[in-house]
Amino acid sequence: MNEFVKIEDREAVPASANARKVFVKTYGCQMNVYDSQRMADALGADGYVETASPDDADMVLLNTCHIREKAAEKVYSELGRLRKLRDMRRADGREMLIGVAGCVAQAEGEEIIRRAPVVDFVIGPQTYHRLPQVVSRARGGDKVVETDYAIEDKFEKLPERDEKQVRARGVTAFLTVQEGCDKFCTFCVVPYTRGAEVSRPVSQIVAEARRLAEAGVREVTLLGQNVNAWHGEGPDGGEWGLGRLLRELAEIDGLDRLRYTTSHPRDMDDDLIEAHRDLGALMPYLHLPVQSGSDRILKAMNRKHTADDYRRLVDRIRAARPDIALSGDFIVGFPGETDADFEDTMRLIRDVGYAQTFSFKYSPRPGTPGADMGDQVAEDVKSARLLSLQALLDQQQAAFMNGLCGRTLPVLLEKPGREPGQLVGRSPWLQPVVCDENVGKIGDIVDVRISKVSANSLIADNREVEQTA
Ligand code: SAH
Ligand code: SF4
Ligand code: F3S
């Protein structure tokens, strides 16, 4: 699961004056964003309404990420701030319940309460359907740690998506179809925090997608730590892969755009590649992390493919869908990485050409094999490699964005812009596009001409070219 989308705070549904309020703060990847919404919905059924700030919250829920050391440490500094806030509220005779969910919760369990006694409950990602019971015990004064992997399916037990909440969240939505990971890359905590791979059944996914479409959602992004390893029994009794599922979802009225993330190179099968050729609704953008361009390092990472396997795969995908843009994740400074290995990564990046990328210094994670490998790379070497890698990736991103200048693109209008009179939408390749509000209304897909490019967004001419939907 990648962390590449900048997660903006969700707009909370306005709270009535006397309802109990919950503030949910989300760290990490899109799957956590999805989970936070499902948790907020479950708490909604329990009488809580979401609030946009911790200041007036009766409960604060941190949905955390364990992927790198920095991500995990953020939680403890936030808990320090929350302790002060809670003490202030107590001085006013009010309470504030504090809960930790997500991957740090799963990885550290009761250790969190030992280190930060302000925490009232800890709940792991597989047990969110038990949240109302956990909260009620915590409100009764117990310290609760709920990180057992539930055998029952959390998705089945969670209440359905609430239509009002979905509407309030806008015209794009995430939908988790697969969770967990069996791949055990030697740097990665996900198989330990999210458990073994589980695919949701077709019927459940289709029903949820329909409800989203009925609530005005136009674009759905299917999520999974290995989303393209998703497989499930279809209504025909046969085993479906992600390509087949996408074909089914493309038939749903109102769902005009489909995306999926994060894919593993080893799970890109022919049917999925052909879906990119056949489905207009499937956006021409694919996040396909490779991590390194050195076969030696790929092997040590347990990625189970070579750099040339990846090059060939990219060729096949581009043959099926020539306008597809690729994004990826890279790790520099994995144990044993030499200058020559790093050069192999730079070469792979030059060969492939990315529209967008996310790159990280290797962070040894407790309990993963990488953390115990000899030959850890010095911090200053990692920093220098990251700098030159990012310079190359920035150049590629700028070249991709500049290539869109002057072109007419279909843009899904998502929300008001920063300035009055603006609307912001997304291009097929995920860039924000700033448009004049007279081009259409939120939820429309309009063709606009790109007249300017800034660092991270595209600016459209202030006239609509032609309405496509
Ligand atoms: N399932 C996805 C990625 C999940 S984690 C895949 O297989 O590609 C998201 C990204 O975080 C990874 O792609 C990797 O680039 C980065 N990452 C994961 N563990 C890391 C670590 N220990 N140090 C630095 N970056 C890491
Ligand atoms: Fe982590 Fe590898 Fe699984 Fe991705 S495939 S979640 S990087 S173990
Ligand atoms: Fe996502 Fe971070 Fe967990 S990337 S799966 S929230 S460790």
Side-chain angles (χ1 to χ4, degrees), residues 1-2 67 180-192 194 197 224-226 262-267 289 291 301-303 329 331:
M1 198 71 215
N2 57 304
I67 201 83
C181 181
D182 297 339
K183 292 214 162 51
F184 291 91
C185 302
T186 52
F187 52 82
C188 185
V189 293
V190 171
Y192 311 95
R194 292 279 175 168
E197 266 181 36
Q225 269 94 18
N226 282 302
T262 292
S263 320
H264 194 289
R266 283 175 50 219
D267 294 319
Q291 316 297 353
M301 286 176 162
N302 195 33
R303 294 290 290 185
D329 295 342
I331 295 177

Side-chain angles (χ1 to χ4, degrees), residues 37-99:
Q37 295 180 350
R38 298 295 305 255
M39 285 193 280
D41 291 354
L43 289 168
D46 210 30
Y48 280 90
V49 289
E50 267 193 282
T51 173
S53 140
D55 298 331
D56 64 343
D58 302 289
M59 175 171 24
V60 173
L61 188 56
L62 303 181
N63 193 8
T64 61
C65 173
H66 201 244
I67 201 83
R68 285 170 290 276
E69 191 180 353
K70 261 200 203 136
E73 284 305 316
K74 270 190 204 154
V75 177
Y76 289 100
S77 37
E78 184 65 26
L79 287 171
R81 282 192 290 274
L82 286 174
R83 188 172 54 81
K84 290 193 195 118
L85 195 63
R86 192 202 56 179
D87 291 349
M88 272 161 51
R89 278 178 70 87
R90 278 197 174 158
D92 286 347
R94 290 177 305 163
E95 262 311 318
M96 181 194 264
L97 214 56
I98 297 178

Side-chain angles (χ1 to χ4, degrees), residues 286 288-290 292-293 306-315 317-318 322 324-328 330 344-357 392-393 396 400:
L286 177 62
L288 195 63
V290 64
S292 167
T306 64
D308 278 346
D309 292 337
Y310 184 83
R311 286 183 177 88
R312 279 191 290 270
L313 174 61
V314 167
D315 288 345
I317 296 166
R318 285 194 166 133
I324 204 160
L326 290 176
S327 72
F330 293 90
D344 285 344
T345 301
M346 295 289 272
R347 194 157 52 84
L348 180 68
I349 293 170
R350 284 190 205 99
D351 290 349
V352 171
Y354 289 92
Q356 204 182 13
T357 36
L392 173 62
L393 294 169
Q396 292 194 341
F400 184 83

